[in-house]
Amino acid sequence: MGTVAERTAPRVTRLLGLVTYLERAGEASIEELAEHFGVTSAQVRRDIELLWVSGVPGHAPQDLIDFDAWAFDEGVIRLTNSQGVGQVRLSPREGVALIGALSAVVAGGAAPQAAHTALAKLVDAVADKDAVRSVTTASVDPAVAATLRDAIECRVVVELDYADANDRRTSRVIEPHRIVVIDGMPYVECWCRRAGDYRTLRVDRIMSASMGTDAVTAPASETPGFSLVPKFEAVVAADAPARWLLESFPGVQLEEGDGVVTARFGVADVSAVAGQLLTIGTALRSVGPPPLARELARQARAVLAAQA
Amino acid sequence: MTIDPAERLLNLIIALTHARVRMTRAQIRATVVGYEPADAHLAPDDVRRREAAFERMFERDKEELRRMGIPLRTVLDPTHGDAIGYKIDASDAAMPGIAFTSAEAAALALAAEYWQGATLGPDAHQGLTKIASTSSAAPRTPLTLGARASSTSDATATLVDARARRLAVAFDYTSASAGLSRRTVEPWQIILRAGAEYLYAFDRDRGEPRTFRLGRIHGSVTTVGKEGAYTIPRPLPKPSWGDTGAVHHAVVGLRPEAGHAIRRRGRALGTEGDWDLVEVQYRHADAIKDEVLALAGRARVMEPALIAQQVEREAAAALRVGEVPIDAESAGGGDRG
């Protein structure tokens, strides 16, 4: 509790995992095991030493989990007796964590084929197949999504038409790095050659896309998920019945009194937030800071112009 | 003598896996390395104290086993129904080997990022360790794919566990229609939608299935009654998301290549000026209104006129608020009443 010591369940899960992996692989070097399980070589050594002294009650030599001592001295782990234990199936929570995350990405509509097939294999392997599922809310053009996926895989640029929240169309050449699904909405993280900077573009705003031949040269942003960093804190006051919308904003803090609810939340995508506020226009009392208010006004004008 | 809890747990797993029929608590205490055996030479008070310490430790270990997904079988006395021993069935417990390609393993690894900071975060990591044990490809942080949900709830883990054991749960919940009320429900499914978590469950008080947004649960979720108290219908009926009611038709104008969701479920009617006309069905006028507004000028409602007016009203009101930007300091609202 609060110490640096690893908690028990994750460690025992890895201990059982080492046994099963070694049973399947025959033998493996300490470095290979460390790499595979994402821990240090020193930790693998401690894990093997713990396994080595564990066994059936009585702890006679034949009752213990055993390894080849000669190989161990050479840094190679060879399992000689597993005592019949090994990795256990996914717990209900683990199943929901893995299937939930993958299904959320797949529901975003821009996931690579591997995410689809991994999800199918996982669902196939668990006993409880519908503990969790994801609902699609984004509307992504499948052809655009396919082009982005192929370009990321082939590491080439994409030429695309992008419409911002105000329907201003721009043609851009981007170096795509990563598809990231944030709250069900897929974005492409890229280097935009037009802007000469990193950009995160909403995939549903890409009107058309075609693969170019130029290779990607800019490295991916060093902070994966840089798009998630809130640019500023919004403060929005609205009539209480609009609470349902305000409470959907990530990390929102709400205060309610006198029939008015005030929401404070971080804004990463200004135009997306403005678009949502538009839907409760008649309930809005105040919107700040100015960049968000301006974007809201801009979108409102665009709607009125379209509707006129 | 204190021993690493991981070592004790591992010895317990091995012992219970090897138990032919069962192991009683007394046998576990006497033989599994890591527990302090009973000692008849001690004073009665010390005996009782040690007994209580063993019971606490063993209960904690059972909870850890459950958390790891190890099916611990409790053997009951056929005549009295008391727990008389424990056993782990190795074949029942084993992780099935799944052959993931390295691309698939990489995709799986995004689960850790998705649940980061949430109650299911440690479970995602533990699940990935299990995947690594039976797969030659290790799940590693994917470089070209990511996922994030910002409104993960503290209640998820409790609800998943309760559902797995078919335990009913109770919690305080705020709904738009009923305000704050105590709900007792039978959890059916966790639904992820636009980064938020929902519980699809049978509401015992209302006698019908309902969908609950986890962010609207106040305080903690408690389990109610006994395990195995209900069954989950197969297949699950579709949750309504409030989409009951008569079907109406609307005509929406879309800028070329905008509004793919509307195009996909609607019927193309041709063009008018710069607009592609699409006919769509709807149950709630608000749903069409919100969808058109969210397209921020790339869509317009042609008919019915009533929804077109609602769209204009929302936009005009939003414009009035947006044109007078106020700074964050004075937006509190609470102290100006």
Side-chain angles (χ1 to χ4, degrees):
Chain A
M1 346 259 119
T3 66
V4 289
E6 189 178 14
R7 285 172 51 254
T8 309
R11 175 146 193 229
V12 176
T13 300
R14 188 177 60 247
L15 292 171
L16 295 173
L18 285 165
V19 172
T20 293
Y21 184 79
L22 287 164
E23 264 187 329
R24 295 166 62 96
E27 62 176 41
S29 70
I30 286 180
E31 291 70 32
E32 183 190 335
L33 292 171
E35 164 92 11
H36 192 76
F37 285 92
V39 292
T40 62
S41 294
Q43 183 62 54
V44 170
R45 213 172 263 280
R46 282 195 293 273
D47 285 351
I48 298 299
E49 280 161 358
L50 196 156
L51 283 165
W52 218 329
V53 296
S54 303
V56 181
H59 277 197
Q62 73 277 10
D63 294 334
L64 296 172
I65 291 177
D66 209 2
F67 298 94
D68 183 329
W70 295 98
F72 184 76
D73 288 341
E74 306 286 318
V76 172
I77 309 300
R78 187 180 299 138
L79 182 75
T80 55
N81 190 342
S82 73
Q83 295 299 343
V85 295
Q87 192 51 276
V88 292
R89 66 187 186 199
L90 294 173
S91 74
R93 285 193 204 179
E94 291 159 2
V96 166
L98 298 185
I99 291 174
L102 269 184
S103 72
V105 169
V106 166
Q113 193 57 28
H116 290 260
T117 52
L119 177 61
K121 287 180 183 178
L122 208 52
V123 170
D124 197 46
V126 298
D128 199 346
K129 302 192 189 304
D130 47 27
V132 65
R133 74 185 176 91
S134 289
V135 175
T136 299
T137 47
S139 64
V140 166
D141 183 339
V144 167
T147 302
L148 291 173
R149 281 196 303 265
D150 292 348
I152 288 171
E153 199 172 311
C154 302
R155 302 185 49 77
V156 293
V157 299
V158 175
E159 293 157 22
L160 53 80
D161 281 326
Y162 190 70
D164 68 15
N166 216 25
D167 203 27
R168 277 191 306 233
R169 305 277 287 256
T170 49
S171 292
R172 301 163 184 241
V173 176
I174 63 158
E175 303 190 359
H177 296 129
R178 189 168 179 257
I179 297 283
V180 56
V181 181
I182 305 166
D183 294 343
M185 174 65 69
Y187 296 75
V188 56
E189 290 181 345
C190 60
W191 173 264
C192 177
R193 289 189 172 177
R194 183 170 166 272
D197 198 1
Y198 290 102
R199 284 285 183 271
T200 305
L201 305 178
R202 262 174 69 158
V203 176
D204 69 332
R205 295 231 176 96
I206 299 173
M207 300 296 119
S208 63
S210 60
M211 242 164 87
T213 49
D214 258 21
V216 165
T217 52
S221 166
E222 274 178 27
T223 46
F226 62 91
S227 55
L228 312 173
V229 180
K231 296 186 175 75
F232 55 78
E233 183 183 64
V235 185
V236 175
D239 297 335
R243 184 187 173 101
W244 65 270
L245 181 94
L246 296 177
E247 71 188 9
S248 71
F249 289 115
V252 67
Q253 287 184 302
L254 294 169
E255 280 172 61
E256 195 169 335
D258 290 340
V260 174
V261 58
T262 303
R264 291 164 193 273
F265 53 94
V267 176
D269 183 339
V270 183
S271 65
V273 170
Q276 284 177 283
L277 292 179
L278 213 45
T279 66
I280 55 163
T282 49
L284 289 174
R285 296 282 188 98
S286 65
V287 173
L292 179 58
R294 276 198 297 273
E295 176 60 20
L296 178 68
R298 220 149 53 113
Q299 292 190 21
R301 274 189 218 104
V303 170
L304 291 171
Q307 208 61 57
Chain B
M1 175 194 74
T2 52
I3 156 172
D4 189 337
E7 186 174 347
R8 183 180 70 235
L9 205 60
L10 186 61
N11 280 312
L12 179 64
I13 292 167
I14 298 170
L16 291 174
T17 304
H18 280 253
R20 273 195 202 84
V21 185
R22 57 154 203 262
M23 276 182 97
T24 64
R25 277 175 183 248
Q27 284 169 331
I28 289 168
R29 188 178 174 194
T31 63
V32 174
V33 174
Y35 294 110
E36 229 170 312
D39 186 345
H41 304 294
L42 290 170
D45 274 358
D46 287 333
V47 169
R48 269 195 296 278
R49 206 163 21 243
R50 286 201 179 185
E51 176 77 30
F54 165 76
E55 290 296 330
R56 275 199 305 276
M57 194 180 263
F58 184 61
E59 287 305 313
R60 260 206 312 273
D61 288 348
K62 280 194 337 192
E63 196 47 48
E64 288 281 20
L65 292 180
R66 194 198 299 284
R67 194 178 158 91
M68 290 175 59
I70 297 180
L72 178 69
R73 205 151 61 75
T74 306
V75 183
L76 299 175
D77 183 313
T79 47
H80 302 99
D82 304 333
I84 51 168
Y86 302 89
K87 179 169 175 42
I88 293 170
D89 289 319
S91 58
D92 195 25
M95 172 80 183
I98 316 171
F100 288 112
T101 64
S102 49
E104 288 167 347
L108 278 163
L110 64 80
E113 181 189 349
Y114 185 89
W115 297 104
Q116 198 170 40
T119 48
L120 287 185
D123 299 290
H125 279 282
Q126 213 165 276
L128 293 174
T129 300
K130 291 186 179 178
I131 299 289
S133 336
T134 59
S135 173
S136 46
R140 274 201 203 83
T141 314
L143 296 173
T144 60
L145 187 65
R148 190 82 178 198
S150 19
S151 355
T152 51
S153 159
D154 289 346
T156 328
T158 310
L159 292 170
V160 170
D161 280 343
R163 178 193 176 280
R165 298 159 71 180
R166 302 298 189 268
L167 272 164
V169 295
F171 48 80
D172 291 324
Y173 187 76
T174 315
S175 77
S177 52
L180 184 68
S181 62
R182 185 90 179 150
R183 306 294 191 95
T184 304
V185 308
E186 298 169 358
W188 283 356
Q189 188 172 55
I190 299 290
I191 300 179
L192 310 177
R193 187 174 193 261
E197 293 162 89
Y198 295 81
L199 171 67
Y200 185 33
F202 183 80
D203 187 323
R204 283 187 175 172
D205 305 314
R206 282 152 186 82
E208 59 182 22
R210 291 286 172 97
T211 312
F212 301 91
R213 193 182 161 106
L214 298 197
R216 288 181 168 185
I217 292 176
H218 294 256
S220 55
V221 174
T222 52
T223 58
V224 177
K226 289 207 179 104
E227 279 191 43
Y230 62 95
T231 52
I232 298 175
R234 302 244 183 272
L236 274 178
K238 279 218 158 111
S240 74
W241 302 111
D243 57 359
T244 52
V247 173
H248 306 281
H249 293 266
V251 178
V252 175
L254 296 169
R255 292 290 192 206
E257 299 182 79
H260 293 289
I262 294 175
R263 286 174 196 275
R264 226 167 288 152
R265 66 175 200 274
R267 188 168 66 91
L269 298 179
T271 58
E272 190 181 305
D274 289 342
W275 299 99
D276 296 339
L277 301 188
V278 178
E279 185 187 59
V280 279
Q281 296 187 341
Y282 69 94
R283 288 193 164 90
H284 286 287
D286 278 358
I288 293 288
K289 182 204 77 179
D290 291 354
E291 211 170 353
V292 167
L293 279 165
L295 284 165
R298 286 178 291 154
R300 60 172 297 190
V301 176
M302 316 294 281
E303 51 187 77
L306 194 67
I307 301 182
Q309 283 160 18
Q310 286 172 344
V311 167
E312 285 173 40
R313 210 162 37 232
E314 299 280 18
L319 183 58
R320 278 195 296 278
V321 172
E323 275 183 329
V324 277
I326 45 158
D327 61 52
E329 289 305 310
S330 61
D335 50 22
R336 285 183 292 132

